[in-house]
Amino acid sequence: AAPMAVRATQAVHVQQRAQVRVIKEKEKPDLGKEKSMGQFAPGALDRIKMRLEGQGTYAVISALVVNMGIRLLSGNSPEMLTQAWWPVSCAYSCALATCVLSGVYATVVFTLTKMYAMTVIGNYKDAQFAEFFQETQKYRAAGFKAFCASLGSFAFAFVTFFLLKIRGWPGIAGFAVGVGIVLKGMLDFRGIYRRAGKTLK
């Protein structure tokens, strides 16, 4: 009688273990679904990283323009600005200020948005990344306008530098050629921007 009781007890334990295993196996897919909820697929994640790299390019170009603007400012002397016609001096000073400050703003905006976006993705918070990227859209738009303003003001300051540094007809000729090239570049940039806008719609 004793062995039969032992066998019955073992059979009960085996059935309980089997039930526990079945319950655990049923719970595994649910846990996996909860873990993968809100996470991007690997292909989508690669595209997001490529987009963030594009924002990093804006920051790098803006930093370069700021550096060139500071170098152009350091090459001026107070006598050169005071001896020139005052409207040209004022326009030149305003262009340099716009170039440097707008470039700094664009650099900071695109650097911060890229840095924090990469940090959020690195912490597997994909849903929070989508929310963060949507809420910072207005700042990125303002950063792009500052980026364009920095490029345009630097180009204007550079061509105006010919009138301040080189007197007479040589300076006027350099200014005229520079203005023509700047206008051509602005038209081409506008065409590329419009084409990119239609493509990304």
Side-chain angles (χ1 to χ4, degrees):
M4 292 294 294
V6 172
R7 290 178 183 176
T9 305
Q10 290 178 350
V12 171
H13 285 296
V14 169
Q15 290 179 357
Q16 290 178 351
R17 290 177 183 176
Q19 291 177 357
V20 171
R21 288 178 183 176
V22 171
I23 292 173
K24 287 184 177 180
E25 289 178 356
K26 288 182 179 179
E27 289 178 351
K28 283 182 181 178
D30 295 334
L31 291 174
K33 288 179 182 177
E34 290 179 1
K35 187 176 181 180
S36 62
M37 237 167 112
Q39 291 187 358
F40 297 114
L45 194 59
D46 293 338
R47 292 180 181 272
I48 291 173
K49 290 181 179 179
M50 291 174 64
R51 187 173 182 183
L52 294 177
E53 288 297 329
Q55 291 193 12
T57 304
Y58 282 121
V60 171
I61 296 176
S62 299
L64 292 176
V65 174
V66 169
N67 186 28
M68 290 187 293
I70 294 175
R71 287 179 177 272
L72 192 61
L73 180 63
S74 62
N76 301 327
S77 61
E79 293 79 10
M80 184 182 69
L81 295 177
T82 54
Q83 292 177 2
W85 190 35
W86 71 266
V88 177
S89 300
C90 291
Y92 178 77
S93 300
C94 293
L96 279 182
T98 304
C99 169
V100 174
L101 296 179
S102 298
V104 170
Y105 177 82
T107 302
V108 172
V109 166
F110 288 116
T111 301
L112 289 180
T113 52
K114 178 186 176 182
M115 179 180 65
Y116 288 124
M118 295 290 286
T119 302
V120 172
I121 292 177
N123 290 327
Y124 298 97
K125 297 181 179 181
D126 297 344
Q128 288 83 350
F129 164 77
E131 182 180 356
F132 171 79
F133 209 70
Q134 182 66 27
E135 291 181 353
T136 56
Q137 181 178 1
K138 58 182 179 180
Y139 304 114
R140 297 196 308 274
F144 179 75
K145 292 179 181 178
F147 171 78
C148 296
S150 180
L151 289 177
S153 58
F154 173 77
F156 178 79
F158 184 78
V159 297
T160 308
F161 185 74
F162 286 96
L163 293 178
L164 298 175
K165 193 73 173 178
I166 306 174
R167 301 301 177 85
W169 286 107
I172 296 175
F175 175 79
V177 172
V179 168
I181 296 175
V182 168
L183 292 177
K184 178 64 168 60
M186 291 178 63
L187 292 175
D188 293 344
F189 177 75
R190 186 179 181 184
I192 295 173
Y193 174 71
R194 285 187 173 183
R195 181 60 181 171
K198 292 179 181 179
T199 304
L200 296 175
K201 281 184 179 179

